[in-house]
Structures are given as C-alpha cells and as structure tokens.
Amino acid sequence: MDTEPRYLYKLFPSTAPVPEPIPERLPVSDLDRESGFIHLSTAQQTPNTLKHFFKNEPLVYVLRIEYERVEGDIRWESPEADVCGPRPGEGLFPHLYNGLKLGRDEVESLAVWKNENGWEDTLKKVKPWLLY
C-alpha cells in the first residue's frame, strides 16, 4: 500500500453472529485457524471479499478495526490465487498475527449488512460506513 489505511475490516457470515457488546475474544473461523492468522480486508478489498466468499449469505457482520490498534501485528501478504482466483488491483491483504485474538480491544464498531438485492446494492447503501 502507498499509504496506511485508517481502518481494516473483518467479515463474519450469518451463521457466525457477532454478539453485542463485542466480547473480549470472538470465535475464530476454520480458515483463520488453519492459516494461523486472521484474514482482514481494506475498504477497497471488502467488496470483492463479499462477492467471492459471502456471495450467498443473506447477511454479514462487518467489524471495523482501527489500523493503529493492530498495526504492530499486521503483515501485508499476497492472497492465494487458488482460493478465489487473481484479484488484480487490490494489492496485498492485511493479515492479523496476534494469536488469533479479535474482540472488543481491536474492534472499533460493528455493522450488519443485508444482502437484499445483491451486494452491489448493499454496498451503495453502506458506503458512508466503509471508510478508507
């Protein structure tokens, strides 16, 4: 990245609801556990993350994480193209290496996005919340 983002984002499927208030430690997905880190996205990467990994989800829980809170544990890495194919123009992805901890200390806010008419329509509505 040319400049550091202000926020990073973590998406959870409807089958893994995020409780409020956010606990000290949220459950970790199988993918994150197997990878040994928490997969995050920048605001620019979030739309395609939705389309590739949450295509058929009726809703997703989106955690907004202040970059400064996790900066020391972030590694910027290339995505594995065999999972969702190449994602040109999206750059490196932020991966959180902090012992798989994500909870109230890391999360700034939570949003619930509904996939009513496809993610394109939803993204237009939530754009003010999806900050760079």
Side-chain angles (χ1 to χ4, degrees), residues 73-91:
D73 294 318
I74 293 292
R75 291 187 205 161
W76 294 91
E77 300 173 321
S78 180
E80 291 186 29
D82 59 335
V83 174
C84 63
R87 292 175 66 171
E90 290 187 288

Side-chain angles (χ1 to χ4, degrees), residues 80-124:
E80 291 186 29
D82 59 335
V83 174
C84 63
R87 292 175 66 171
E90 290 187 288
L92 300 176
F93 280 74
H95 295 154
L96 180 60
Y97 286 86
N98 70 344
L100 298 174
K101 182 187 179 301
L102 187 61
R104 67 175 168 247
D105 293 338
E106 294 78 26
V107 176
E108 183 260 355
S109 59
L110 165 69
V112 180
W113 295 351
K114 293 182 181 178
N115 186 0
E116 295 172 356
N117 298 311
W119 288 120
E120 292 292 331
D121 286 347
T122 301
L123 286 163
K124 290 174 188 172

Side-chain angles (χ1 to χ4, degrees), residues 15-103:
T15 55
V18 177
E20 289 190 80
I22 295 171
E24 184 178 337
R25 188 178 215 121
L26 290 162
V28 179
S29 71
D30 291 341
L31 176 63
D32 290 344
R33 189 175 8 276
E34 291 167 10
S35 300
F37 57 83
I38 296 174
H39 295 260
L40 302 174
S41 297
T42 63
Q44 177 186 359
Q45 296 162 340
T46 296
N48 281 335
T49 299
L50 276 171
K51 293 173 195 170
H52 288 293
F53 294 100
F54 300 89
K55 182 178 182 177
N56 297 318
E57 286 292 326
L59 63 85
V60 295
Y61 298 86
V62 185
L63 302 178
R64 186 165 64 192
I65 302 159
E66 283 186 87
Y67 181 68
E68 289 180 352
R69 292 186 189 189
V70 296
E71 182 177 6
D73 294 318
I74 293 292
R75 291 187 205 161
W76 294 91
E77 300 173 321
S78 180
E80 291 186 29
D82 59 335
V83 174
C84 63
R87 292 175 66 171
E90 290 187 288
L92 300 176
F93 280 74
H95 295 154
L96 180 60
Y97 286 86
N98 70 344
L100 298 174
K101 182 187 179 301
L102 187 61

